Amino acid sequence: MGLTVEVLDQLEVCNPQAAANAALKENSAIALIELLEILWTCGLESANTVIDATLLRLQQLRAMR
């Protein structure tokens, strides 16, 4: 849940790049999937940057399995 709070805080202050960077550093696929679910439904235009980063990080984690 910490990742979600951090990302939403960054989006609230209009810093989608910092939010995306937080997603790219996450190692928990569960946290990333939860974040993705929230971002997908939140309707913020700036969320698209973080959605892309989250999907990329999930692909990276999958490749490391």
Side-chain angles (χ1 to χ4, degrees), residues 3-53:
L3 173 65
T4 301
V5 171
E6 181 180 350
V7 166
L8 293 177
D9 284 347
Q10 291 299 325
L11 289 177
E12 186 176 4
V13 297
C14 298
N15 195 346
Q17 192 56 49
N21 287 339
L24 289 170
K25 293 177 185 173
E26 181 60 49
N27 289 320
S28 169
I30 293 171
L32 290 165
I33 291 168
E34 289 174 352
L35 175 63
L36 189 60
E37 182 180 14
I38 290 168
L39 292 174
W40 199 269
T41 60
C42 77
L44 292 173
E45 187 175 319
S46 59
N48 288 336
T49 300
V50 185
I51 289 171
D52 291 344

Side-chain angles (χ1 to χ4, degrees), residues 43-64:
L44 292 173
E45 187 175 319
S46 59
N48 288 336
T49 300
V50 185
I51 289 171
D52 291 344
T54 303
L55 291 170
L56 175 62
R57 185 60 181 152
L58 283 168
Q59 289 176 327
Q60 290 171 343
L61 291 174
R62 182 172 181 243
M64 287 191 277

